[in-house]
Amino acid sequence: MSLGLMEPDHLKGWKNLINQRDSNYGSRNAPGARTPNRVAKASIVCISPLSSLESKWLHLVSVLSDGRRMYFSTFSSGGSSGSIADLGGLSNRHKPSCLKLVFTRPPPPLGVSSGLGFGSIPLAPRGQNEDLALKVETAYHSAGTLILSDSSTPTTSSLVVVSKDFSMQASPSGTLGTTVKCSRALRESVSSLPLEGRMLFVADILPLPATASTVQSLYSELALHDMENSGVTSEKSTVKLGARGDLSTQHILPRRRIVIFSTMGMMELAFNRPVDILRRLFESNSPRSLLEDFFGRFGAGEAAAMCLTLASKLIDGENVVSNAVAERAAESCEDPRLVGMPKLEGGTALSSTTTTAGGINMGQVVQEAEPVFSGAYEGLSLCSARLIYPVWELPIMVIKNGAGSSDLDSANGVVVCRLSMGAMQVLENKFRSLEIFLRSRKYQRRGLYGYVAGLGASTGSILYGGSEVRNGASSMVRNLFGAYSRNLQNADGGTPNKRQRLPYAPAELAAMEVRAMECIRQLLLRSAEALFLLQLLSQHHVTRIVQGFDADLRQALTQMTFHQLVCSVEGDRLATRLISALMEYYTGPDSRGTVNDISARLREDCPSYYKESDYKFYMAVEHLDRAAVSSNPEEKDNLAREAYELLGKIPESADLRIVCKRFEDLRFYEAVVQLPLQKAQVLDPAGDAFNEQINLAERHHMVAQREQCYEIIAGALRRLKGDVSHREFGSGGKATAGGIILDAASRKKYIHQIVQLAVQSPDILFHEYIYRTLIDLGLENELLEYGGPDLVPFLQKAVREPREEAISASTTSAPPLSNTDVLDSSDQVKYLDLLARYYVLKRQHYLAAHVLLKLAERRFIDGRNAPNLEERCQYLSNAVLQAKNTTGVDIVSSARGDQDNGLFDLLEGKLAVARFQVKIKEQIEAMVAKLEASDSTPEPGQSEDRSRRQDSNLIGVMKEKAKELSSDLMSITQLYNEYAVPFELWEICLEMLHFASYSGDTDSSIVRETWARLIDQALSQGGIAEACSVLKRVGSHVYPGDGAVLPLETLCLHLEKTAMERLTSGVEFVGDEDVARALLAACKGAVEPVLNTYDQLLSSGAILTSPLLKLRLLRSVLAVLREWAMSVLAQKMGTTAFGASLILGGSFSPEQTAVINQGVRDKITSASNRYMTEVRRLPLPQNQTEAVYRGFRDLEESLLSPFSF
């Protein structure tokens, strides 16, 4: 893309610029010249290969002696008719199959000059009679440049230099600063200069190795890939890159130089790039017309890009750009007469609404006007794009295998930066130079960009905002550019009242352009910082830094492009990870340096990647590292606190999962609790997690964000507790830190510290999270001891209690508890149990009793977590205990009065029914066990199979009933009707009738029948002894009571009759006193009820028709009277009934007989006398009644003896 201008060592200046009409080579002769004579047949003077940069499908050029060039291709189908596949470009895999002539280009024209002299050696003019046809003796073609040695003039030889011309034609008048796009593929510039002697050989002067290495590194994956694979040296590849044109390479390539060997000596030529010509225009203070002509030829955008190159001193040349040249270049880039102004383009207005014939013109489609920015913006875009092009879409890292080649997909090899250190340094310097220039203009408020951007920066509303920026931009357009801007606005020639209303004002267009330029400046700065970071990584060996990365992270690193590193969130994250690895490597155990050493460079040269928060984070990490190796406890604690204070300033920037683990190792749990809470607040500053009015998905997202922070604290508790089943990222595999096993006391101490710190937080959501964690870990005691005031609402919420019915410590009346609440899980039971324990701990016994009652009566949906019957009874028992402790102790319930007694009675009744249920269940289970044990022994008269089948069915029914009894509490009616009666549990039936205070008619047969069935059942199982035992056990439970529950007469008569019958038949030996003593035990030792029962039976002749039965009753009465006397004596003397019987059976001393009071003596003696008479009246032989008679008499005499009283 050379302009075709050159300097022969010491000669400089403009040379022939061929305009558009000369580019087709149609006019070869000057006006008035004669037609050239026919020449001999042309011969080939030079054959040169074409690189892929010059052409994708032309591979060879041959120069003829008449100046024509013949282009050949090795593709089978070439020329303009070649297929797309054929135009794929030359590669190393392509093997030439033919050599085909594609087209021939005519020789370059001669005799055409722009009228400008070339330094001090002007072109040698040709006479009118001289032949203008070229006579080429030697030629040289390289990198798009053709050098011919012409000997067509007899007096002197000349050099003809032909190269591509990338300049543009001058814009039409009236559109200054704008460009017209045209095809420049075939346009060439031709220059000639005299040559002493004849040219023998031409060679390129290769660039310096450092420059070649930089260019090779930057463009190896783009333009020089084929040359690198073909074995061409980097210096030669750099020369070949010049075929791309000067416009796209002049910022990175030096001026091209060649050396020409002739018969008279050697001459060096230096080709001026367009930017070199522009620099000379500024140095020589050329007239403005030349500068305008330069902008017109190259276009405002390209010329502005070159002005920026000079102003920011981006070019590499022999001479340094002076400050004066740089300032003139900057002013030219900002001159609206050269670069234009942002405007609207594409919109057309209706010129008239009527036609020539008087009709109505319906108009035409009006295209929407679009903003077109000035050449200053276009130039900045071009300059920035050419700088960033070699790296933008290519990966920043590659994997080098053992052979030194790069393979992005290889799992083996080492990770290195794709660019060399020198290339990244050169590119970074150019980025920074251009950005510094733009920033300086912004601070100085020079030009449109500097004024508008600087004004926006000072007002705090850069480019977007308020009236001050808009008014400033408008004033800038009017005052700085004056009438020129008005001329641009009226360039359409229309009258003001007929102009189309524009969608953007000039000030708005200016602000839009400045905003775009400011974005480019930010991109340049960010790109420079990215390059510096890559250099820093390369200095410390990328392979070592990333050796700790996993496979996924390494793959992401090698696939990330420079574009992603600069502009994407993923790139920023990866850069942060690389900086972290660099810090670990730099401040690691090898002590390569401190955080301050490396941070100073990062903070200065890439602040967007390494912010102030990063510096504080790594300083904190360094403090933690020092604390970990310190043996001084005080120093360790101070370092940990300093790290905590640093991290407390940047909670949102730290990876707390790793950092808090470090604090755990140091046992600094204040940071473990406070840092995650601070980060949770930063992540949700508006408290959306608590806002029920926002979108549910957003709220859940914020809750999840907060819970990630809370989990760090929960993880510390788990490790202290020893539960490592929940491991989070970054946690070690051991529950203890640093390999030191903590004792139980230390664990408890640190757990208490964490809980206390957690409860102090005002975060309610965190309280709920930490409460659940403590419950899951079995740390209920710590929870109840240190729980905050929101613990009760939390527990109530967990069991789904309505808020209006929630129990609180400040209520004055007990809330109604639903005894039929259905719980879903064992967690809810656990929460209820904790609530009861909390109330007990706070001495709120009334509330605790209510919660325990609810626990006892709870039911479950699935039944898997339901408590057994024994546990329910235990809950009821505890509830009764709490109800007993209510009076005078419970602060909340002390004013309830009779409600306390009602609760106590209610709980006692439920506990009694539950105990009945337990008894029934145990009885049924015992029956099942007995049946299973006797399953193999069938009853006589039944077949074995039938007996087993019947027992099996009965066992199944009984097991199902026992399971029902274990699942839930039942009412006393259910227990009686559905379980006790069907399974003939008469003893429990009687106890339930007594508990229910059965008040049926005394003549009712229910109780009597139940007693009869119970006694018969006992008799069948163990005779009179078993029946008396049952009577003692059951009677003592139901006594005292009315006659309906304990019918003494019925029981006494039934047992006495049965005892006499069994004794008479010899089935069982029954003592005379067994039944009487059983009745006394049933009445809990009360003699008078038993004695009255016997009196009623003896006085009823209709009942006692048998004298023998009456005699047996009298024996029982004798036993009752003796028992009465012994019990009274034992009570007065403080001895047992057995000791009293020994005394009563012997002689009484005055002191002993005085113990019995007069009333009891009179009753006993009167009864003894009366019963002696009854014995005498019996129609029985004396030998049968003598013993009974003597017993009454002895008892009477012993009580009436003078020694007795």
Side-chain angles (χ1 to χ4, degrees), residues 1045-1071:
V1045 179
L1046 186 59
L1048 293 178
E1049 293 182 8
T1050 303
L1051 293 174
C1052 179
L1053 180 60
H1054 184 54
L1055 287 175
E1056 291 289 0
K1057 282 183 178 182
T1058 305
M1060 187 183 69
E1061 291 173 359
R1062 297 177 75 88
L1063 179 62
T1064 304
S1065 62
V1067 175
E1068 179 183 1
F1069 175 78
V1070 182

PDB file of all heavy atoms in Angstrom, residues 1045-1071:
ATOM      1  N   VAL A1045     -69.291 -49.673  91.512  1.00  0.00           N
ATOM      2  CA  VAL A1045     -67.977 -50.018  90.974  1.00  0.00           C
ATOM      3  C   VAL A1045     -67.366 -51.188  91.739  1.00  0.00           C
ATOM      4  O   VAL A1045     -66.711 -52.045  91.145  1.00  0.00           O
ATOM      5  CB  VAL A1045     -67.050 -48.783  91.023  1.00  0.00           C
ATOM      6  CG1 VAL A1045     -65.673 -49.125  90.489  1.00  0.00           C
ATOM      7  CG2 VAL A1045     -67.662 -47.638  90.230  1.00  0.00           C
ATOM      8  N   LEU A1046     -67.570 -51.244  93.072  1.00  0.00           N
ATOM      9  CA  LEU A1046     -67.017 -52.338  93.881  1.00  0.00           C
ATOM     10  C   LEU A1046     -68.167 -52.991  94.672  1.00  0.00           C
ATOM     11  O   LEU A1046     -68.406 -52.686  95.832  1.00  0.00           O
ATOM     12  CB  LEU A1046     -65.942 -51.811  94.832  1.00  0.00           C
ATOM     13  CG  LEU A1046     -65.183 -52.859  95.641  1.00  0.00           C
ATOM     14  CD1 LEU A1046     -64.469 -53.855  94.731  1.00  0.00           C
ATOM     15  CD2 LEU A1046     -64.193 -52.184  96.584  1.00  0.00           C
ATOM     16  N   PRO A1047     -68.911 -53.912  94.086  1.00  0.00           N
ATOM     17  CA  PRO A1047     -70.045 -54.585  94.773  1.00  0.00           C
ATOM     18  C   PRO A1047     -69.535 -55.641  95.752  1.00  0.00           C
ATOM     19  O   PRO A1047     -69.371 -56.821  95.400  1.00  0.00           O
ATOM     20  CB  PRO A1047     -70.822 -55.181  93.612  1.00  0.00           C
ATOM     21  CG  PRO A1047     -69.811 -55.425  92.546  1.00  0.00           C
ATOM     22  CD  PRO A1047     -68.785 -54.355  92.692  1.00  0.00           C
ATOM     23  N   LEU A1048     -69.311 -55.212  97.005  1.00  0.00           N
ATOM     24  CA  LEU A1048     -68.703 -56.114  97.993  1.00  0.00           C
ATOM     25  C   LEU A1048     -69.602 -57.316  98.290  1.00  0.00           C
ATOM     26  O   LEU A1048     -69.098 -58.438  98.469  1.00  0.00           O
ATOM     27  CB  LEU A1048     -68.407 -55.331  99.278  1.00  0.00           C
ATOM     28  CG  LEU A1048     -67.311 -54.258  99.143  1.00  0.00           C
ATOM     29  CD1 LEU A1048     -67.153 -53.513 100.461  1.00  0.00           C
ATOM     30  CD2 LEU A1048     -65.991 -54.886  98.735  1.00  0.00           C
ATOM     31  N   GLU A1049     -70.906 -57.094  98.400  1.00  0.00           N
ATOM     32  CA  GLU A1049     -71.799 -58.209  98.738  1.00  0.00           C
ATOM     33  C   GLU A1049     -71.744 -59.296  97.671  1.00  0.00           C
ATOM     34  O   GLU A1049     -71.616 -60.482  97.972  1.00  0.00           O
ATOM     35  CB  GLU A1049     -73.234 -57.704  98.885  1.00  0.00           C
ATOM     36  CG  GLU A1049     -73.440 -56.780 100.070  1.00  0.00           C
ATOM     37  CD  GLU A1049     -74.890 -56.347 100.199  1.00  0.00           C
ATOM     38  OE1 GLU A1049     -75.721 -56.912  99.451  1.00  0.00           O
ATOM     39  OE2 GLU A1049     -75.181 -55.466 101.002  1.00  0.00           O
ATOM     40  N   THR A1050     -71.804 -58.860  96.414  1.00  0.00           N
ATOM     41  CA  THR A1050     -71.776 -59.836  95.320  1.00  0.00           C
ATOM     42  C   THR A1050     -70.465 -60.591  95.311  1.00  0.00           C
ATOM     43  O   THR A1050     -70.413 -61.823  95.141  1.00  0.00           O
ATOM     44  CB  THR A1050     -72.001 -59.122  93.988  1.00  0.00           C
ATOM     45  OG1 THR A1050     -73.238 -58.406  94.017  1.00  0.00           O
ATOM     46  CG2 THR A1050     -72.010 -60.110  92.837  1.00  0.00           C
ATOM     47  N   LEU A1051     -69.367 -59.857  95.449  1.00  0.00           N
ATOM     48  CA  LEU A1051     -68.039 -60.481  95.419  1.00  0.00           C
ATOM     49  C   LEU A1051     -67.856 -61.430  96.601  1.00  0.00           C
ATOM     50  O   LEU A1051     -67.321 -62.541  96.454  1.00  0.00           O
ATOM     51  CB  LEU A1051     -66.959 -59.394  95.423  1.00  0.00           C
ATOM     52  CG  LEU A1051     -66.886 -58.519  94.165  1.00  0.00           C
ATOM     53  CD1 LEU A1051     -65.881 -57.387  94.366  1.00  0.00           C
ATOM     54  CD2 LEU A1051     -66.501 -59.355  92.953  1.00  0.00           C
ATOM     55  N   CYS A1052     -68.292 -60.967  97.780  1.00  0.00           N
ATOM     56  CA  CYS A1052     -68.107 -61.781  98.989  1.00  0.00           C
ATOM     57  C   CYS A1052     -68.883 -63.092  98.891  1.00  0.00           C
ATOM     58  O   CYS A1052     -68.348 -64.174  99.162  1.00  0.00           O
ATOM     59  CB  CYS A1052     -68.558 -60.976 100.207  1.00  0.00           C
ATOM     60  SG  CYS A1052     -68.394 -61.878 101.762  1.00  0.00           S
ATOM     61  N   LEU A1053     -70.144 -62.984  98.514  1.00  0.00           N
ATOM     62  CA  LEU A1053     -70.981 -64.190  98.431  1.00  0.00           C
ATOM     63  C   LEU A1053     -70.460 -65.147  97.363  1.00  0.00           C
ATOM     64  O   LEU A1053     -70.397 -66.360  97.577  1.00  0.00           O
ATOM     65  CB  LEU A1053     -72.434 -63.783  98.138  1.00  0.00           C
ATOM     66  CG  LEU A1053     -73.452 -64.915  98.029  1.00  0.00           C
ATOM     67  CD1 LEU A1053     -73.503 -65.701  99.346  1.00  0.00           C
ATOM     68  CD2 LEU A1053     -74.810 -64.380  97.651  1.00  0.00           C
ATOM     69  N   HIS A1054     -70.057 -64.576  96.206  1.00  0.00           N
ATOM     70  CA  HIS A1054     -69.589 -65.421  95.106  1.00  0.00           C
ATOM     71  C   HIS A1054     -68.307 -66.162  95.489  1.00  0.00           C
ATOM     72  O   HIS A1054     -68.165 -67.374  95.243  1.00  0.00           O
ATOM     73  CB  HIS A1054     -69.362 -64.555  93.859  1.00  0.00           C
ATOM     74  CG  HIS A1054     -68.962 -65.349  92.656  1.00  0.00           C
ATOM     75  ND1 HIS A1054     -69.689 -66.432  92.178  1.00  0.00           N
ATOM     76  CD2 HIS A1054     -67.882 -65.226  91.818  1.00  0.00           C
ATOM     77  CE1 HIS A1054     -69.090 -66.926  91.112  1.00  0.00           C
ATOM     78  NE2 HIS A1054     -67.986 -66.206  90.880  1.00  0.00           N
ATOM     79  N   LEU A1055     -67.399 -65.472  96.137  1.00  0.00           N
ATOM     80  CA  LEU A1055     -66.130 -66.106  96.505  1.00  0.00           C
ATOM     81  C   LEU A1055     -66.321 -67.114  97.638  1.00  0.00           C
ATOM     82  O   LEU A1055     -65.705 -68.195  97.634  1.00  0.00           O
ATOM     83  CB  LEU A1055     -65.121 -65.021  96.911  1.00  0.00           C
ATOM     84  CG  LEU A1055     -64.544 -64.176  95.763  1.00  0.00           C
ATOM     85  CD1 LEU A1055     -63.665 -63.074  96.302  1.00  0.00           C
ATOM     86  CD2 LEU A1055     -63.754 -65.056  94.795  1.00  0.00           C
ATOM     87  N   GLU A1056     -67.153 -66.770  98.601  1.00  0.00           N
ATOM     88  CA  GLU A1056     -67.352 -67.680  99.748  1.00  0.00           C
ATOM     89  C   GLU A1056     -68.024 -68.967  99.277  1.00  0.00           C
ATOM     90  O   GLU A1056     -67.644 -70.078  99.695  1.00  0.00           O
ATOM     91  CB  GLU A1056     -68.185 -66.996 100.823  1.00  0.00           C
ATOM     92  CG  GLU A1056     -67.484 -65.841 101.535  1.00  0.00           C
ATOM     93  CD  GLU A1056     -66.369 -66.299 102.469  1.00  0.00           C
ATOM     94  OE1 GLU A1056     -66.106 -67.524 102.582  1.00  0.00           O
ATOM     95  OE2 GLU A1056     -65.719 -65.427 103.079  1.00  0.00           O
ATOM     96  N   LYS A1057     -69.031 -68.838  98.444  1.00  0.00           N
ATOM     97  CA  LYS A1057     -69.687 -70.031  97.921  1.00  0.00           C
ATOM     98  C   LYS A1057     -68.707 -70.890  97.129  1.00  0.00           C
ATOM     99  O   LYS A1057     -68.643 -72.116  97.289  1.00  0.00           O
ATOM    100  CB  LYS A1057     -70.852 -69.647  97.023  1.00  0.00           C
ATOM    101  CG  LYS A1057     -72.117 -69.232  97.750  1.00  0.00           C
ATOM    102  CD  LYS A1057     -73.224 -68.942  96.743  1.00  0.00           C
ATOM    103  CE  LYS A1057     -74.518 -68.582  97.451  1.00  0.00           C
ATOM    104  NZ  LYS A1057     -75.615 -68.334  96.485  1.00  0.00           N
ATOM    105  N   THR A1058     -67.967 -70.235  96.250  1.00  0.00           N
ATOM    106  CA  THR A1058     -67.028 -70.988  95.411  1.00  0.00           C
ATOM    107  C   THR A1058     -65.951 -71.638  96.267  1.00  0.00           C
ATOM    108  O   THR A1058     -65.541 -72.790  96.024  1.00  0.00           O
ATOM    109  CB  THR A1058     -66.395 -70.059  94.366  1.00  0.00           C
ATOM    110  OG1 THR A1058     -67.418 -69.413  93.606  1.00  0.00           O
ATOM    111  CG2 THR A1058     -65.498 -70.830  93.428  1.00  0.00           C
ATOM    112  N   ALA A1059     -65.475 -70.937  97.287  1.00  0.00           N
ATOM    113  CA  ALA A1059     -64.426 -71.494  98.148  1.00  0.00           C
ATOM    114  C   ALA A1059     -64.944 -72.722  98.892  1.00  0.00           C
ATOM    115  O   ALA A1059     -64.242 -73.736  99.028  1.00  0.00           O
ATOM    116  CB  ALA A1059     -63.952 -70.430  99.126  1.00  0.00           C
ATOM    117  N   MET A1060     -66.197 -72.639  99.392  1.00  0.00           N
ATOM    118  CA  MET A1060     -66.743 -73.785 100.109  1.00  0.00           C
ATOM    119  C   MET A1060     -66.938 -74.964  99.166  1.00  0.00           C
ATOM    120  O   MET A1060     -66.651 -76.115  99.518  1.00  0.00           O
ATOM    121  CB  MET A1060     -68.077 -73.404 100.764  1.00  0.00           C
ATOM    122  CG  MET A1060     -68.649 -74.488 101.698  1.00  0.00           C
ATOM    123  SD  MET A1060     -70.260 -74.039 102.375  1.00  0.00           S
ATOM    124  CE  MET A1060     -71.242 -74.127 100.891  1.00  0.00           C
ATOM    125  N   GLU A1061     -67.414 -74.693  97.985  1.00  0.00           N
ATOM    126  CA  GLU A1061     -67.627 -75.774  97.033  1.00  0.00           C
ATOM    127  C   GLU A1061     -66.314 -76.441  96.646  1.00  0.00           C
ATOM    128  O   GLU A1061     -66.216 -77.673  96.571  1.00  0.00           O
ATOM    129  CB  GLU A1061     -68.322 -75.233  95.787  1.00  0.00           C
ATOM    130  CG  GLU A1061     -69.762 -74.797  96.023  1.00  0.00           C
ATOM    131  CD  GLU A1061     -70.356 -74.119  94.812  1.00  0.00           C
ATOM    132  OE1 GLU A1061     -69.598 -73.979  93.801  1.00  0.00           O
ATOM    133  OE2 GLU A1061     -71.516 -73.708  94.858  1.00  0.00           O
ATOM    134  N   ARG A1062     -65.307 -75.652  96.389  1.00  0.00           N
ATOM    135  CA  ARG A1062     -64.026 -76.227  95.956  1.00  0.00           C
ATOM    136  C   ARG A1062     -63.337 -76.955  97.113  1.00  0.00           C
ATOM    137  O   ARG A1062     -62.647 -77.957  96.909  1.00  0.00           O
ATOM    138  CB  ARG A1062     -63.115 -75.119  95.387  1.00  0.00           C
ATOM    139  CG  ARG A1062     -63.692 -74.470  94.135  1.00  0.00           C
ATOM    140  CD  ARG A1062     -62.804 -73.341  93.648  1.00  0.00           C
ATOM    141  NE  ARG A1062     -61.600 -73.813  93.006  1.00  0.00           N
ATOM    142  CZ  ARG A1062     -61.481 -74.115  91.719  1.00  0.00           C
ATOM    143  NH1 ARG A1062     -62.556 -74.005  90.944  1.00  0.00           N
ATOM    144  NH2 ARG A1062     -60.359 -74.538  91.210  1.00  0.00           N
ATOM    145  N   LEU A1063     -63.571 -76.410  98.334  1.00  0.00           N
ATOM    146  CA  LEU A1063     -62.971 -77.082  99.490  1.00  0.00           C
ATOM    147  C   LEU A1063     -63.688 -78.402  99.762  1.00  0.00           C
ATOM    148  O   LEU A1063     -63.051 -79.418 100.074  1.00  0.00           O
ATOM    149  CB  LEU A1063     -63.047 -76.161 100.712  1.00  0.00           C
ATOM    150  CG  LEU A1063     -62.490 -76.730 102.028  1.00  0.00           C
ATOM    151  CD1 LEU A1063     -60.993 -77.035 101.891  1.00  0.00           C
ATOM    152  CD2 LEU A1063     -62.721 -75.756 103.172  1.00  0.00           C
ATOM    153  N   THR A1064     -65.014 -78.365  99.667  1.00  0.00           N
ATOM    154  CA  THR A1064     -65.794 -79.583  99.938  1.00  0.00           C
ATOM    155  C   THR A1064     -65.511 -80.667  98.915  1.00  0.00           C
ATOM    156  O   THR A1064     -65.376 -81.848  99.237  1.00  0.00           O
ATOM    157  CB  THR A1064     -67.290 -79.254  99.955  1.00  0.00           C
ATOM    158  OG1 THR A1064     -67.554 -78.224 100.902  1.00  0.00           O
ATOM    159  CG2 THR A1064     -68.122 -80.473 100.290  1.00  0.00           C
ATOM    160  N   SER A1065     -65.375 -80.252  97.663  1.00  0.00           N
ATOM    161  CA  SER A1065     -65.122 -81.237  96.599  1.00  0.00           C
ATOM    162  C   SER A1065     -63.675 -81.682  96.543  1.00  0.00           C
ATOM    163  O   SER A1065     -63.336 -82.618  95.822  1.00  0.00           O
ATOM    164  CB  SER A1065     -65.530 -80.648  95.250  1.00  0.00           C
ATOM    165  OG  SER A1065     -64.759 -79.500  94.962  1.00  0.00           O
ATOM    166  N   GLY A1066     -62.826 -80.997  97.308  1.00  0.00           N
ATOM    167  CA  GLY A1066     -61.411 -81.361  97.329  1.00  0.00           C
ATOM    168  C   GLY A1066     -60.628 -80.881  96.127  1.00  0.00           C
ATOM    169  O   GLY A1066     -59.479 -81.300  95.929  1.00  0.00           O
ATOM    170  N   VAL A1067     -61.216 -79.980  95.334  1.00  0.00           N
ATOM    171  CA  VAL A1067     -60.495 -79.456  94.163  1.00  0.00           C
ATOM    172  C   VAL A1067     -59.360 -78.543  94.583  1.00  0.00           C
ATOM    173  O   VAL A1067     -58.264 -78.554  93.999  1.00  0.00           O
ATOM    174  CB  VAL A1067     -61.469 -78.700  93.245  1.00  0.00           C
ATOM    175  CG1 VAL A1067     -60.721 -78.045  92.087  1.00  0.00           C
ATOM    176  CG2 VAL A1067     -62.541 -79.633  92.737  1.00  0.00           C
ATOM    177  N   GLU A1068     -59.580 -77.801  95.659  1.00  0.00           N
ATOM    178  CA  GLU A1068     -58.559 -76.826  96.070  1.00  0.00           C
ATOM    179  C   GLU A1068     -58.682 -76.639  97.566  1.00  0.00           C
ATOM    180  O   GLU A1068     -59.788 -76.613  98.119  1.00  0.00           O
ATOM    181  CB  GLU A1068     -58.787 -75.495  95.344  1.00  0.00           C
ATOM    182  CG  GLU A1068     -57.796 -74.421  95.712  1.00  0.00           C
ATOM    183  CD  GLU A1068     -58.120 -73.094  95.019  1.00  0.00           C
ATOM    184  OE1 GLU A1068     -59.125 -73.022  94.275  1.00  0.00           O
ATOM    185  OE2 GLU A1068     -57.345 -72.137  95.238  1.00  0.00           O
ATOM    186  N   PHE A1069     -57.551 -76.509  98.235  1.00  0.00           N
ATOM    187  CA  PHE A1069     -57.559 -76.201  99.657  1.00  0.00           C
ATOM    188  C   PHE A1069     -57.644 -74.702  99.804  1.00  0.00           C
ATOM    189  O   PHE A1069     -56.799 -73.967  99.319  1.00  0.00           O
ATOM    190  CB  PHE A1069     -56.315 -76.746 100.337  1.00  0.00           C
ATOM    191  CG  PHE A1069     -56.238 -76.341 101.783  1.00  0.00           C
ATOM    192  CD1 PHE A1069     -57.006 -76.990 102.750  1.00  0.00           C
ATOM    193  CD2 PHE A1069     -55.419 -75.296 102.189  1.00  0.00           C
ATOM    194  CE1 PHE A1069     -56.954 -76.613 104.087  1.00  0.00           C
ATOM    195  CE2 PHE A1069     -55.369 -74.916 103.521  1.00  0.00           C
ATOM    196  CZ  PHE A1069     -56.123 -75.581 104.473  1.00  0.00           C
ATOM    197  N   VAL A1070     -58.680 -74.262 100.549  1.00  0.00           N
ATOM    198  CA  VAL A1070     -58.909 -72.844 100.745  1.00  0.00           C
ATOM    199  C   VAL A1070     -58.929 -72.567 102.235  1.00  0.00           C
ATOM    200  O   VAL A1070     -59.638 -73.235 102.993  1.00  0.00           O
ATOM    201  CB  VAL A1070     -60.240 -72.396 100.109  1.00  0.00           C
ATOM    202  CG1 VAL A1070     -60.424 -70.901 100.282  1.00  0.00           C
ATOM    203  CG2 VAL A1070     -60.285 -72.785  98.644  1.00  0.00           C
ATOM    204  N   GLY A1071     -58.185 -71.580 102.668  1.00  0.00           N
ATOM    205  CA  GLY A1071     -58.152 -71.211 104.079  1.00  0.00           C
ATOM    206  C   GLY A1071     -59.405 -70.489 104.491  1.00  0.00           C
ATOM    207  O   GLY A1071     -60.105 -69.887 103.665  1.00  0.00           O
TER     208      GLY A1071
END
